[in-house]
Amino acid sequence: MGEKLTLVRDDLLIVDDLMLLLMDDDGVSIQTAGTLHDALGGAVLTELAMLGRIQTDNSGALDGPRVTPSGEGPLPDPLLQSAYDTVAEKPQRVRPLLVALGTDLWWVVLDRLVDRGLLHREAVQLRARIRRVLADDEAPDPRTAAIIGLLFASGAVPSLRPPLPWTSATVTRASEIGRGHWGSEAVFSAVTRTAAAIVAVSAASVATTTRRAPTGERNAA
């Protein structure tokens, strides 16, 4: 799988960061609620991939590549450990795993953030980092690239506050990152390629769910 990446920052996971960005400033409403399980499930799988704890095959089935466990030893967070245990139960493809991992996960993640008192402070810092990548062409680290890919997949980037200058340039930049163009360093990493593949499948799943959902569900808080 290549060299593992150290991603856990002050006990926050990618799924925590994603939830912070999807929460409105009122701390109650959630952007893209109708596709939340796909986005959050994708965030957990992406983190496991970037830690080198899962790998995917090259199959191109409708439900995405098959995911298998990798590596040994306990994971640094109980949420990640629970997700890893689900992957280890039996071989599954990405899309069924998004449902298995993401359904009702937002309650768990929200409770984690509330317990830490992080809903506003960390969100401001995250939004600033994403703005630098999308609007100022700063090169993203793999973690930020994964978050942007998942945000773009969920359709939430235009709803970030404060709003980004949502121009053709920023749309193109977000789309490229969402398709796995994470910069020259990531090209050589099997771990980040696996993570990018999972983000891509998550994006496709979110897009499918969005097309099926009634308008009211897409905008539900």
Side-chain angles (χ1 to χ4, degrees):
M1 286 292 293
E3 183 181 355
K4 297 177 184 178
L5 300 174
T6 301
L7 295 183
V8 178
R9 187 192 74 248
D10 297 330
D11 297 327
L12 286 182
L13 306 177
I14 290 174
V15 71
D16 295 319
D17 283 348
L18 188 63
M19 178 62 86
L20 283 168
L21 291 164
L22 292 175
M23 290 293 298
D24 283 342
D25 287 338
D26 61 11
V28 177
S29 305
I30 303 174
Q31 296 292 335
T32 63
T35 59
L36 195 58
H37 67 280
D38 289 319
L40 297 184
V44 174
L45 279 181
T46 299
E47 185 120 35
L48 288 175
M50 297 176 78
L51 288 169
R53 296 307 303 271
I54 60 173
Q55 53 190 336
T56 59
D57 61 18
N58 294 321
S59 63
L62 181 63
D63 286 338
R66 184 176 288 102
V67 181
T68 54
S70 179
E72 298 179 353
L75 283 150
D77 186 284
L79 193 156
L80 289 180
Q81 186 64 57
S82 176
Y84 178 84
D85 292 343
T86 297
V87 171
E89 286 176 1
K90 61 180 180 179
Q92 298 184 68
R93 297 190 181 275
V94 171
R95 285 189 179 176
L97 277 171
L98 295 180
V99 176
L101 298 177
T103 301
D104 296 329
L105 183 56
W106 73 277
W107 285 104
V108 177
V109 178
L110 187 59
D111 283 346
R112 288 159 58 96
L113 295 173
V114 170
D115 288 345
R116 291 167 171 79
L118 296 177
L119 280 180
H120 296 294
R121 176 175 60 83
E122 288 288 328
V124 169
Q125 296 174 1
L126 282 166
R127 289 166 184 167
R129 180 158 32 115
I130 288 168
R131 172 181 286 272
R132 291 195 300 271
V133 171
L134 293 182
D136 301 331
D137 288 331
E138 180 178 298
D141 59 89
R143 180 190 182 103
T144 303
I147 292 168
I148 290 172
L150 291 161
L151 280 173
F152 185 75
S154 70
V157 178
S159 303
L160 293 180
R161 296 291 181 270
L164 285 168
W166 199 231
T167 64
S168 60
T170 53
V171 170
T172 298
R173 176 85 162 139
S175 177
E176 289 176 348
I177 292 172
R179 293 197 306 271
H181 300 171
W182 292 5
S184 58
E185 291 184 5
V187 169
F188 301 103
S189 169
V191 172
T192 50
R193 281 200 300 271
T194 299
I198 288 173
V199 169
V201 176
S202 302
S205 184
V206 168
T208 301
T209 303
T210 302
R211 287 195 297 269
R212 291 174 180 168
T215 302
E217 183 181 349
R218 290 182 219 163
N219 298 325

